[in-house]
Amino acid sequence: MLGYVPLGYSNSELQSDSLPSDPVDRSEITIITIRVRSVGDIRALEQKVYELSKEKLEDRTFLTHEQLAEQYGASAQDLDLVEQHAQKHSVSALRRSAAERSIVLKGTLGNLLDAFPAEVVMCGHSTGTYRARRGEIYVPLGLDNIIIGIFGYDTRPNLRHGSRQQAMAVGGPGRRKGVAAYEYAKRYNFPTTANGVPLDGSGQTIALIELDGGFRMSDLEIYFKEIDVPLPSIVAVDVGLGNVPSGNAYVDGEVMLDIEVAGAVAPKADIAVYFGPNIGSQGFIAAIRAAIYDTQRKPSVISISWGIPEDPANQQAMNEFHQLFLDAAALGITVCVASGDYGTADMPPDIWDGHIHVDHPAADPLVLSCGGTQIDEHGNDIVWNRGGSASGGGISKIFPVPDYQLGANLPASIDKGEPSHGRGVPDIAMCATNYFTRTDGKEEVSSGTSAVAPLMAALVARLNQAKKKNVGFMNPFFYANAHKGIVHDVTVGDNAIPGKSPGYKAGPGWNACTGLGTIDGMAILKNL
């Protein structure tokens, strides 16, 4: 292609079992996002983040949004060059941000493909029909050293780690109706006061990332009244998709679970729910980006309960998520991510591709990956594994073993033919079952690692409040202080899916079902 070269790391393959069907509609109005290079040294920034995480909390100084933009944002000249090339093809810029190193373009799919060529086809799959990209994206000479990512051609939905729910009679929490999340905060010894001040999340903002569904304030008002907790301040942030309750309890249940768990444990925190469209990587990335760069609400912790199996064939997206999580760490924002609900399959049984996977973005080494337990008849935490669902975990195919896990005795991957050593997932775990929730007028029991991520985020909000500063990127802290009682081993169970995927066994120390084990909130606060 004369005058164009392949964009690095942009090669993509069709989803397993996908079949090309109809040609794409080139007249369809489409939005893509282009990410450009930083004016700073990103590798040096990552090194600084790791060095900072090893310092005492009181000695850490995180970047401000303004400093991050000035030192590691994009140059106006780079954005101008991208915009000028787009305009030559009748493509307009919706917005551009030097701080976010991105420009959002809108035009017909045909014009966008003329500007940034790629092979795009419509595909049929058991999950539905979507627009897919295969092969590489091409960029013009002169922009090949400027553009580092292009997102929006692929519209494959992301998997929700949806809470499996069972409708129950109205009447509030208790017994078979599940328990409010604050009961798990008690179980895992979350700190309740610091210097005589109640720890309730005051002064903090918890960001929740959602890609579908919505919440109803009428349900939340009833819910928090029933669990005897003040209704938190909750705001929906439109990132291409607003708060649109669907009436489908499975879809809306993810959103409600996140809000109800976080709000029950940190009721005085502001809860900002960032809604992005569930189309490929673009909507997911946009929602996370909006939370990280929100200079008005300034979330101190982000909870993510969505993901898909990590995909070596989509390295461009993996790199982009990692860049975002790096920026979050530099700003002192903790990112908590559910590790998945289908064990090592990381897919529901009806669409499993027969391969072993870890979930992404939980596999990224800059996020705190949250696995799940269940409580046995003796009151002990064991690996969550019930009814075809289990705590996600395993060994990454993409990310190498991070420094903080070098002494964790990670097992070799059970995925034959793949790299035997990589980033281990998850990092910690808490109970993933028996949460009392309310969705679309019905009271239910919800389960899943989707509950653990907002539960951990609520603890981080309490810790930030207690320390009067953000704790930030916590992974190195957990591994360096595991011997000090901040975590407790989970030694019973495995995350195999019976009749489907093999799994890893629990055991002393780190394991690929529950990570370092369950946490002790008071011990964490004491050792920070």
Side-chain angles (χ1 to χ4, degrees):
M1 190 174 298
L2 188 62
Y4 283 78
V5 294
L7 175 61
Y9 301 108
S10 67
N11 189 58
S12 181
E13 299 175 5
L14 298 183
Q15 186 178 3
S16 177
D17 299 329
S18 292
L19 296 175
S21 54
D22 299 325
V24 296
D25 178 3
R26 289 179 60 88
S27 67
E28 180 184 1
I29 299 300
T30 303
I31 295 173
I32 66 171
T33 303
I34 294 185
R35 180 85 148 176
V36 302
R37 65 188 176 184
S38 167
V39 297
D41 186 338
I42 293 298
R43 290 185 180 180
L45 177 62
E46 186 157 2
Q47 183 177 350
K48 289 179 182 178
V49 161
Y50 274 95
E51 291 173 351
L52 191 65
S53 69
K54 297 174 184 177
E55 294 181 6
K56 293 181 179 179
L57 182 60
E58 58 266 27
D59 296 332
R60 297 180 199 171
T61 301
F62 300 111
L63 293 179
T64 65
H65 283 89
E66 294 75 20
Q67 290 170 332
L68 182 66
E70 180 181 353
Q71 298 174 32
Y72 298 98
S75 73
Q77 181 180 11
D78 283 353
L79 294 174
D80 285 344
L81 289 171
V82 174
E83 187 170 359
Q84 290 163 11
H85 173 73
Q87 288 175 345
K88 293 177 182 177
H89 295 272
S90 301
V91 171
S92 60
L94 279 182
R95 65 182 296 268
R96 54 184 271 177
S97 169
E100 299 174 19
R101 307 196 297 276
S102 67
I103 181 167
V104 180
L105 302 177
K106 180 180 180 180
T108 66
L109 179 58
N111 286 345
L112 287 165
L113 289 170
D114 289 341
F116 305 101
E119 183 185 2
V120 180
V121 296
M122 296 303 297
C123 278
H125 187 264
S126 57
T127 58
T129 301
Y130 68 97
R131 192 173 67 224
R133 179 178 63 81
R134 60 184 172 189
E136 295 170 310
I137 302 174
Y138 288 80
V139 296
L141 287 168
L143 295 184
D144 52 315
N145 290 324
I146 293 175
I147 296 174
I148 62 173
I150 298 179
F151 307 94
Y153 285 147
D154 192 322
T155 61
R156 178 180 59 161
N158 295 274
L159 290 175
R160 70 175 60 86
H161 296 150
S163 47
R164 272 137 310 285
Q165 300 167 326
Q166 179 181 359
M168 293 291 176
V170 176
R175 295 189 177 182
R176 292 184 58 211
K177 298 175 186 176
V179 298
Y182 53 59
E183 295 296 341
Y184 293 120
K186 295 175 185 176
R187 177 178 180 85
Y188 300 113
N189 202 24
F190 285 19
T192 56
T193 61
N195 300 317
V197 177
L199 296 180
D200 51 18
S202 295
Q204 305 298 312
T205 296
I206 299 173
L208 305 177
I209 305 300
E210 307 294 348
L211 303 179
D212 207 344
F215 62 86
R216 303 177 195 274
M217 287 305 302
S218 57
D219 276 328
L220 292 171
E221 289 168 357
I222 294 171
Y223 177 83
F224 283 101
K225 183 176 181 179
E226 285 192 318
I227 67 170
D228 197 25
V229 168
L231 179 68
S233 171
I234 305 164
V235 62
V237 182
D238 187 333
V239 192
L241 177 73
N243 174 31
V244 186
S246 67
N248 181 323
Y250 185 69
V251 174
D252 295 337
E254 183 67 66
V255 181
M256 297 296 283
L257 175 66
D258 288 347
I259 295 172
E260 289 164 354
V261 170
V265 178
K268 291 299 179 67
D270 293 331
I271 297 177
V273 190
Y274 295 80
F275 286 96
N278 191 10
I279 49 172
S281 301
Q282 184 185 34
F284 202 174
I285 288 169
I288 296 171
R289 181 185 291 123
I292 292 171
Y293 299 115
D294 191 337
T295 57
Q296 300 300 311
R297 301 173 186 86
K298 293 184 178 179
S300 59
V301 59
I302 297 173
S303 174
I304 302 173
S305 296
W306 293 74
I308 58 176
E310 67 170 4
D311 185 1
N314 194 13
Q315 188 66 50
Q316 177 183 236
M318 304 295 105
N319 292 346
E320 176 67 1
F321 279 100
H322 189 70
Q323 291 291 310
L324 290 174
F325 297 139
L326 176 59
D327 286 355
L331 293 166
I333 301 171
T334 310
V335 182
C336 306
V337 183
S339 71
D341 290 355
Y342 299 102
T344 59
D346 200 40
M347 294 181 183
D350 57 328
I351 63 170
W352 184 45
D353 62 3
H355 297 288
I356 302 298
H357 304 282
V358 292
D359 197 72
H360 183 272
D364 193 288
L366 290 173
V367 308
L368 187 64
S369 181
C370 303
T373 66
Q374 63 191 54
I375 301 169
D376 69 11
E377 64 273 19
H378 304 295
N380 300 317
D381 281 86
I382 63 174
V383 177
W384 174 50
N385 193 331
R386 181 183 299 168
S389 298
S391 180
I395 302 299
S396 172
K397 303 173 187 176
I398 294 176
F399 298 100
V401 180
D403 286 352
Y404 58 78
Q405 285 189 323
L406 289 176
N409 296 318
L410 303 183
S413 173
I414 62 173
D415 191 3
K416 305 303 181 184
E418 296 292 341
S420 60
H421 297 286
R423 159 44 163 159
V425 178
D427 296 303
I428 56 90
M430 287 184 282
C431 187
T433 66
N434 205 38
Y435 285 81
F436 170 66
T437 57
R438 182 182 178 89
T439 302
D440 295 333
K442 296 180 180 179
E443 293 181 352
E444 304 161 323
V445 174
S446 299
S447 301
T449 58
S450 294
V452 183
L455 182 62
M456 185 68 210
L459 171 60
V460 172
R462 289 194 189 186
L463 295 173
N464 291 343
Q465 180 191 357
K467 303 302 289 188
K468 297 183 179 179
K469 71 181 299 182
N470 289 4
V471 295
F473 175 42
M474 297 189 72
N475 297 31
F477 165 82
F478 272 105
Y479 286 84
N481 293 276
H483 64 287
K484 296 181 180 179
I486 67 171
V487 289
H488 301 290
D489 291 348
V490 176
T491 60
V492 177
D494 61 60
N495 61 357
I497 302 298
K500 293 288 184 179
S501 61
Y504 297 87
K505 293 185 179 297
W510 189 92
N511 64 69
C513 306
T514 58
L516 293 169
T518 58
I519 65 170
D520 185 313
M522 280 296 296
I524 292 171
L525 178 59
K526 178 182 176 181
N527 284 278
L528 277 169

